[in-house]
Amino acid sequence: MNNVPRTEPGQSVLWEKPYTSRESHEHSSSLRQSAELTGAQSDMTPEHYTRSMDISVAVDPVALITTECIAVTSAMRKHARWAHSSVSAILGGGAYSTYSTDAGEKSVGTDGQPHQDSASNRSLAGGDAGLANRWGLRGKRGKSMQDNPLISAFARLRADISRSTDIRTFDIPSLLHPFLQVIRSSSTSAPITSLALVSITKFFAYNIINADSLRLPLGMQLLSSAITHCRFEASDSAADEIVLLRILRLMEIMISGLTGHTLGDESVCEMMETGLSMCCQGRLSELLRRSAEISMISMCQVIFERLKHLDVESTTQPDLLEDRRDPGSAPVGIDASMTNKELKPSESAPSEARTSSSSDKQLDQSPAKDENITTTAEASENEGTSSENVLNTVIKPYSLPSIRELFRVLVNLLDPHDRQHTDNMRVMALRIIDVALEVAGSSIIKHQSLSDLARDRLCRYLFQLVRSDNMAILQASLRVAGTLLATCREVLKLQQELFLSYLVACLHPRIEIPREPGIDPALYDGIPQAPKLVKPTASRSGSGRSTPVPVKDRQKLGLEGGSRKPDAREAMVESIGALARIPTFMVELYVNYDCDIDRSDLCEDMVGLLSRNAFPDSATWSTTNVPPLCLDALLGYVQSIADRLGNEVNVDGYPDSSILREKTRLKKIIVQGAAKFNEHPRNGIAYLASQGVIEDPNDPYSLARFLKGTTRISKKVLGDYLSKKSHERILEAFLDQFDFAGKRVDEALREMLETFRLPGESQLIERLITSFAEKCCANSTPEGVADKDAVYVLTYAIIMLNTDQHNPNLKIRMSYNDFSKNLRGVNGGQDFAPEYLQGIYDSIKNHEIILPDEHDNKQAFDYAWKELLIKAKSASNLIICDTNMYDANMFASTWKPIIATLSYVFMSASDDAVFSRVVTGFDQCARIAAKYQLHDVLDHIIFVLSSISSLAPESPPNTSLNTEVQVGDNSVMVSEMAVKFGRDFKAQLATVVLFRVVVGNEAVIRDGWTHLVRIWLNLFVNSLIPPYFMPNQNEMGILPIPLQSPSQVIDRGQKSNETGLLSVFTSYLSSYAADDPPEPSDEELESTLCTVDCINACFLGDVFSNVMNIPIDSLRPLIAALLAQLPEKNSPVLIAVKPEGPSSGQVNGQRQVTKGVVYDPTVVYVLELATVLALRDEQTVEAVGKTVAEALQAVIRDAVNIHPTAVSRATYYLLSLLEASNEHSILRAPVILHAISSLEASLQQKSASLILKGIIRCIEKPGPLKSEMLNSPDFWVILKTIHSVDQVAPSVFKVMEDLSAGSFSSITADNYEVAVLLLNDFASAGSIGSILEQKQDALSRRGKPAKQNKPQENEVVKRGVEAVKLIHRLSGRVQTLIQQSHLETHEEAWVAYWSPIFIVLTSQCVNPCREIRQHAFSCLQRSLLSPEQTSTGHQEWTIIFDEVLFPLILRLLKPEVYQSDPVGMSETRVQAATLLCKIFLHYLVRLSEWDGMLDLWLKILDIMDRLMNSGQGDSLEEAVPESLKNIILVMANGGYLVPPDQNPGHERIWVETWRRLDRFLPNLREEIYPNRPTSSPSSPPSTNPTSQPTTTEAASAPVPTST
């Protein structure tokens, strides 16, 4: 390259020469000086140079320029060549400066105006090689020759500048002219050239050359041409490299400064060529090459930055962007011969070679020049060339042509198959390209020419370089590939898929995750064992061709990974991590690939790759940095989704998410169907048809369209399938999908064989070729072919040729002559045209008919890349997804490996930073799941964390050794679970994280409730959470759930402060002797306290409170999880119950008597919590009430296997649900009451309190439920069973009082009798009062004061009295009930409703308790005398004598009844006798009309007879005669008992009456009829009517009582 100095053979003075023995010192000096310059420029940026333009100069600019001129000329005069310059050169000569080409041509003055120049002026543009050889030599005999033009130019500049009034108006080309001559002159030394470069650098730095300078574009072009063609004599290497460093710095200033926009395309290309040559020359020092690379990077930043501004202009002036050169100007190009061999020339930039000379020899010639690459140097290099074009050329600012050329050269340097380019050169080019992409990547794709370079050659070279084992190449190429995708991925959809697929295939390990002790494999279930994109290895059996397909070789295709070194893996992981950190990158992968039927599931594969490599074992085949790198990328992916949760959904211009979901669903079907097809084609087709993918499996065209349209079918299987004889129609339809018109036979065959693989059997191949030949000749025969038979033979020959040319096992290949000889006379009897066969032969020889996935050579890659580019033309651009509308679907498809990784890392990590990141990851995943209602995600997170917490084992923990430690008013339960949990930091952290995840997300949880419920149960049975869940639970009005009774109670507050060895030993011996567990140690107690603190930090109360507000659909899974924890039938779990009274454990080691029963408190916990949740509101009751009720009923039915405490509470919960569900009819009261009444009586009595509470809750409000329950026989059975329990008897009686009060609406025909009987039981229970009464009687007889009754006994007696009153009150309902009765006869109705009352009252008339007995007699009398008795007009009431009064008196006559209250029972007998007579007289009138009156009267007389002879004493002997006397008088007065002579019709009653009376009251007749003989009684004695009691009076008279 012209601007790179090189050593010329035979040249005496060179700027670059081999090292000598003293070069070590010189080289170190060079390094020091270069380091100074490099340090000054290495950190220079375009902004730095922009700021440097503002530096003001303290001296006069004219003086500064003069000083610089003197400095250069002074150095030149010290050189031997200019040591004898004339005085005029020192003083300054010439009236003006010139810038002309030859004598007589136009020149440009210092003021910028053109004028005529003399013939003696030499052109700046002219070559000075001859002048350098002629000037500076002394003449003979001391005479001086004319001064050297190099020095005289400075003298003229000094003269011109001294006349300038304003340096800003000075002509820049004139200012630079002498300095540029020095720079271009090959006769100057390195220090002189360096001084000239320093001077020009100062002019830029001090703003002497600025954007407003005169003719700046021309000056900048001349300057760029000079520094890119700099020549000087070689001296020592240090000075030489300093010159190059100063050139680099000056180029940076020119491009990066404010004047850089004036550079033209040619100038930029030349400077970039110069910079690249310095970077690539291996003979230069490493420091210089690195400095050149830094400078190139800096300049490229500025150059590619210009693309952003060109984008704006492209809308109005697109033509100017593509080419800003004049039509006749030379093309823009960069000479790429940096390594003695040029890059492959660009077809669009042909040019001529450039030349230069030094000492009649070309100093920087290259062995070979690209004929198609040029720059604009010719006009300024050749001595005799005119500069007219230079002066008249309008220089336009550089734009797309130079940028495109620079980009092309950099890309071409990456070609891995170009051996002229070393790896160092490729690394350098990669670094520069990376900077270019960083600066203007998004702008590159907007220009078609640049975009084509990036999509084709850049991607192709990069994807090949990433397979390099050179780490520098690999890292740089990965970096560039990442930057390219980050900025240009919009147009690199398929290229990105290929690149990422290769990385995934390389990095994803194919081994199982090693089992770690203490880590459940279920925690990391979901990690894919292999990426989805990896296809099964193709089979080679019977192919007829050698197609090597080992996995380790297929990596070269970019389709599969292989064994890469650990450092390479780390670099690849870093590249993936950088891409994953792009906020929208993963979403784009999901939308553009996972939701595309024909693309790979890149998003899932990427997440799976990061997840698998985040496991610690990945460090064994990579580096220790890989797991944390992958974990960081994975968490970054989660965080990017979490950060977008609060963003507003942007749907503008994006595909509809429902459409993508449908595509994803269809894709899964096709993938599964293709897998089935590859195993068994018929099954695959049947499956795809059932899913609607194949419209009609019997239609060959429908099948053919699918088989050709999908890329997931195995090509081998497809070839075998199509070649079967039974599938001929499908083969024909398949071939109809091709268009072979106008194609040569080999081209058509190549197109067909790209879709499937030829089978191995010749018969099957023949069938395929026959169909292929028919298809080719279906419409018209191909050109050059006679008929289908010729196509058939030619096709076979092509297949054989393909195998012959590309089978590596063959040593001798078929020649064209052999090929053509085999085809003689087969083209319809003629030969094929030689040129036709030659074309086929060359095509097959150069390009094998292949399947890319079966080859590993460059040809296969090139073929695959060509196919990729073809597909890319028809493929849509990649959708940039700056939205969160797809996050839900994306996370739903990728969450499993993420959660699995977090779980494994959490279990295996030991660093706090890792814990913090993982905890944050869990929290973010939970928030994402809650936001998008991803139930499975949250459920799995709960499962994982609960498993890590160790609080949710499937089997309950052991609680037999639980010990309660008391200190004052505080106590703590030390249990095995609490101690173990308190020692496990990870378990505690997992628990806190778990409930942090749960709180606020309760509505999203589904299956996760199972694990949460287990945790609650285990905490509850170990007394770590209270039995109350939420505030409204106390509204149930029951006591807390009984907790477990501890094995012992330790009261440390009672212990003395002395804890010596003796006391400890004594405590141990006592515990050992009593076979008790030892007292908890301080460490165990501390662990338990840690557990308590951890549980308190979980805020379980918030969870329960939130549960009360979750939707019903979210509540159902919780109810189901709770009920699932109930023990199965006949399999109870027995745990010691904690009594509600004082603890019966040990206090300070002393065992107390324990009288506990066994039960499972978790059953009660589950039932109560489920009931509380079901009772939340009416909608909840309707939704889940029935489910909970069924569980409660199952507990009640299985009562024999469940503790009474659980059963009793279950009955209360069930009744509470019944009351709440009254309006919804989801439960039937009779069914529930029957279930409760079916319990054993003893169990009902044990459960009496809660059963009654539930019943009261149901009937306390009037309504259908109350009526239904009261009319149920089981209701009264339950009350009758439990009323005898002392604790509930008052409540049961209160229920009866409420039911009997008011309008008696609660007592109906259905429950009337049982209600009376229940009240009778309460009255009978009052008999306990007789004991105290008899004791008081005994004390009274002894003269001692009577004792007060016990309150309890008084209450029982009082209830008995009230019960009797209630029974009597119920008699008021009898008439109504009789009227409402549906019984057939009135007698039946009377018996059904009056008999229960009379029977009950009769039974209470013999109650041992006098108070109850007296009230019963009073109520019985009022009932018997009630007018409602005879209101019906029927005679059924007459049975009161046989059913009530007679049995009552007979019972009173029994000795045992009498002995129950000897004192009071005599009075009761008198009352009974009197009551009998009173009732008889009351109903005498109506009885007289009854046929059975005589028998009734006679029975009464017999009863009176027995009473008189009972041996009671004076009371009856006085009361009976008086009662009978009164009856007889009334009957006689009424005409019912008169002598026969007065009424013969009553003779019998008269005779029978006195016959019986005379037997036990012989004197009664005389007392009534004193003057009438007993033998013939006549009319009764006359008495005063006023003194005779009437029937009514006698009946209404009070019954006499004895005192």
Side-chain angles (χ1 to χ4, degrees), residues 1552-1580:
E1552 293 294 334
T1553 298
W1554 290 110
R1555 184 168 64 81
R1556 283 173 169 77
L1557 288 175
D1558 291 343
R1559 186 167 61 242
F1560 64 93
L1561 291 174
N1563 299 324
L1564 183 61
R1565 183 183 298 192
E1566 292 181 359
E1567 188 176 347
I1568 298 175
Y1569 302 103
N1571 299 323
R1572 185 178 182 85
T1574 57
S1575 60
S1576 58
S1578 60
S1579 61

Side-chain angles (χ1 to χ4, degrees), residues 1401-1468:
L1401 291 177
T1402 300
S1403 65
Q1404 296 307 317
C1405 288
V1406 296
N1407 193 306
C1409 180
R1410 295 170 194 170
E1411 185 177 0
I1412 297 175
R1413 197 164 62 242
Q1414 290 172 2
H1415 281 85
F1417 261 104
S1418 177
C1419 294
L1420 179 61
Q1421 177 179 319
R1422 291 196 298 271
S1423 300
L1424 291 174
L1425 296 176
S1426 172
E1428 295 178 354
Q1429 289 283 352
T1430 58
S1431 61
T1432 60
H1434 298 277
Q1435 302 297 323
E1436 59 270 5
W1437 55 269
T1438 58
I1439 66 175
I1440 60 175
F1441 294 95
D1442 291 331
E1443 298 293 337
V1444 180
L1445 295 174
F1446 294 158
L1448 172 61
I1449 294 175
L1450 293 177
R1451 291 180 66 181
L1452 290 172
L1453 292 175
K1454 292 181 179 180
E1456 61 271 16
V1457 174
Y1458 179 78
Q1459 292 299 326
S1460 64
D1461 185 16
V1463 176
M1465 201 59 70
S1466 298
E1467 181 183 353
T1468 303

Side-chain angles (χ1 to χ4, degrees), residues 572-590:
M572 292 179 177
V573 168
E574 290 175 347
S575 177
I576 290 178
L579 292 173
R581 281 189 289 272
I582 301 174
T584 64
F585 184 76
M586 297 300 289
V587 187
E588 292 161 8
L589 291 186
Y590 176 76

Side-chain angles (χ1 to χ4, degrees), residues 524-586:
Y524 49 85
D525 183 28
I527 300 292
Q529 293 298 321
K532 292 184 176 181
L533 59 89
V534 175
K535 301 178 181 179
T537 304
S539 175
R540 294 178 292 165
S541 59
S543 65
R545 294 176 292 143
S546 177
T547 53
V549 289
V551 172
K552 64 180 181 179
D553 296 329
R554 289 186 59 205
Q555 61 170 320
K556 297 181 180 179
L557 288 173
L559 301 175
E560 174 130 21
S563 57
R564 300 304 300 265
K565 295 179 180 179
D567 291 341
R569 290 180 177 273
E570 180 179 344
M572 292 179 177
V573 168
E574 290 175 347
S575 177
I576 290 178
L579 292 173
R581 281 189 289 272
I582 301 174
T584 64
F585 184 76
M586 297 300 289

Side-chain angles (χ1 to χ4, degrees), residues 1357-1397:
V1357 175
K1358 189 181 296 184
R1359 284 197 299 271
V1361 173
E1362 293 298 326
V1364 173
K1365 294 180 181 179
L1366 289 176
I1367 292 171
H1368 177 258
R1369 290 181 64 185
L1370 289 176
S1371 64
R1373 286 280 296 168
V1374 171
Q1375 196 61 32
T1376 303
L1377 295 176
I1378 291 176
Q1379 295 174 0
Q1380 297 174 353
S1381 174
H1382 299 289
L1383 297 177
E1384 295 180 358
T1385 64
H1386 289 280
E1387 182 177 0
E1388 292 178 352
W1390 193 94
V1391 172
Y1393 300 112
W1394 275 112
S1395 290
I1397 290 182

Side-chain angles (χ1 to χ4, degrees), residues 201-244:
T201 303
K202 285 183 180 181
F203 298 160
F204 281 99
Y206 297 154
N207 210 22
I208 295 174
I209 300 177
N210 52 58
D212 298 327
S213 297
L214 191 61
R215 293 208 297 171
L216 178 64
L218 178 59
M220 294 292 287
Q221 181 181 10
L222 295 172
L223 177 58
S224 66
S225 176
I227 60 176
T228 55
H229 296 80
C230 174
R231 300 177 182 85
F232 56 89
E233 291 182 349
S235 57
D236 61 278
S237 59
D240 298 342
E241 292 194 353
I242 288 175
V243 174
L244 299 182

Side-chain angles (χ1 to χ4, degrees), residues 108-182:
V108 182
T110 58
D111 58 355
Q113 299 299 322
H115 60 83
Q116 294 295 327
D117 190 13
S118 64
S120 62
N121 293 330
R122 306 300 302 170
S123 169
L124 173 67
D128 64 330
L131 295 176
N133 292 330
R134 297 193 301 270
W135 295 101
L137 300 178
R138 290 188 59 81
K140 297 180 179 180
R141 300 179 181 178
K143 293 183 179 179
S144 175
M145 299 177 64
Q146 186 178 355
D147 284 334
N148 188 296
L150 298 181
I151 297 180
S152 61
F154 284 104
R156 287 194 298 272
L157 175 60
R158 287 169 53 191
D160 293 340
I161 202 72
S162 64
R163 292 190 296 268
S164 176
T165 58
D166 187 359
I167 193 63
R168 291 174 298 180
T169 62
F170 197 80
D171 183 52
I172 294 302
S174 300
L175 174 64
L176 296 177
H177 170 66
F179 298 97
L180 299 185
Q181 278 189 313
V182 171

